[in-house]
Amino acid sequence: MEYNCKEFKVGKCEGEKLVDGETLPLVLTPPEPNKNGVDSLLDALNNNKEWFDDMVTKNSAVLLRGFDVKNAVEFNDIIETFGWEDIRYVGPAPRTHIHKRVWTANEGPLSEFIYYHHEMVLINKFPKKVILFCEVPPPEGGETPFVPSFKVTERMMEEFPEFVEEVEAKGLKYTFIALSNDNTTSMRGRGWQDAFATHDQQEAEKRARALGMDVEWLDNGGVKTILGPRPLTRVFEGRKGRKMWFNTLVGMYGKELSSAMMADGTEIPNNIVKRCEEIIEEESIQFKWEKGDVLFLDNYATLHGRRPSLPPRRVLVATCK
């Protein structure tokens, strides 16, 4: 698929990479200096919806840069241009609703690294797209690195073929402890009442089961969620038959509030997890946020995270089916 849209100009950003013949991220800028306003951007997107959607799938990441996007209202207008269905976030990250389909990204301490993940990978309904808007770029750090997921699978299959084969056959099992109340001093500090949008335990259990989770209530008022079996990799239509590393093995393994193992209870060797962590970092791509940037990520094809940063940093997010 060739680039053939006159309403955008292809730009560049520091940190972009050529992966399997495609530039990640594809940077799209105004075609002329006087067409950098939000109205011009909305017109261009409205006139090229199908093409833009194809670009997100083809390149896995598209960065709109140089447009004068100022706030959550204008960001929401961009999202709604496409008619993509909204999907409500379910997970441990503390977030605040801002406007219509727009939320804050993870509000955990900026000093901490948020590990790479496919958004909502653990549940049976996950978004197709994750869209991020930089309202306030950080003075230092705070990048949102992302990783072409199929590259991780390729390298793990090269280095640990027997392990990959075994886990593909058995699947993965995860556990995660949700606290009784929100704790915004933690990246995973969202309490179960907020996560399941209810204060009723029976209703929370019902909603957990609908998402593919089993639950165990703890004496301290928290809840242990059990998820599995879950796949190690997935293949999604329209993505060249690539096997995506569609799991959160490294992110959940051996943590204070979480665990990851094979679905039959077999422990996963620490050295394999550590090497996988190294591979993911080696394949990562990142750029410095600029005010007004809007990044579209194909959640089927990319893992993403957050580097530690100095304050202030304000990045907003929307998730779409």
Side-chain angles (χ1 to χ4, degrees), residues 139-238:
E140 182 179 317
E143 300 90 350
T144 299
F146 60 92
V147 178
S149 194
F150 79 97
K151 294 295 294 182
V152 182
T153 306
E154 285 182 351
R155 293 185 60 182
M156 288 295 290
M157 291 177 71
E158 289 172 2
E159 296 192 28
F160 304 103
E162 293 180 357
F163 167 76
V164 171
E165 182 180 3
E166 182 179 5
V167 182
E168 290 272 51
K170 293 181 177 178
L172 289 164
K173 180 170 75 173
Y174 305 96
T175 67
F176 181 79
I177 295 175
L179 308 174
S180 57
N181 295 296
D182 289 349
N183 175 13
T184 56
T185 65
S186 169
M187 297 182 302
R188 293 179 170 179
R190 196 178 188 198
W192 64 263
Q193 296 98 330
D194 187 19
F196 294 117
T198 181
H199 291 271
D200 181 83
Q201 289 190 351
Q202 289 186 333
E203 181 62 24
E205 289 183 19
K206 179 181 176 182
R207 295 180 183 183
R209 286 193 295 272
L211 294 168
M213 306 178 188
D214 292 322
V215 300
E216 294 178 4
W217 294 100
L218 305 177
D219 293 339
N220 63 5
V223 62
K224 180 180 182 180
T225 58
I226 303 140
L227 307 97
R230 293 289 189 272
L232 182 73
T233 66
R234 282 182 183 263
V235 177
F236 294 99
E237 185 179 354

Side-chain angles (χ1 to χ4, degrees), residues 92-112:
R95 292 182 172 182
T96 301
H97 181 241
I98 301 299
H99 175 74
K100 292 187 177 180
R101 299 173 64 166
V102 178
W103 295 70
T104 58
N106 192 320
E107 294 179 340
L110 291 177
S111 59
E112 296 186 37

Side-chain angles (χ1 to χ4, degrees), residues 34 50 87 109 111 115 153 239 263 290:
N34 65 346
E50 185 175 348
I87 183 169
S111 59
Y115 196 69
T153 306
R239 288 156 182 82
E290 294 183 7

Side-chain angles (χ1 to χ4, degrees), residues 239-259:
R239 288 156 182 82
K240 301 181 179 180
R242 293 166 169 168
K243 275 192 170 186
M244 307 301 181
W245 192 252
F246 209 75
N247 64 76
T248 185
L249 169 59
V250 177
M252 298 281 279
Y253 179 87
K255 303 298 191 296
E256 180 182 0
L257 297 177
S258 65
S259 68

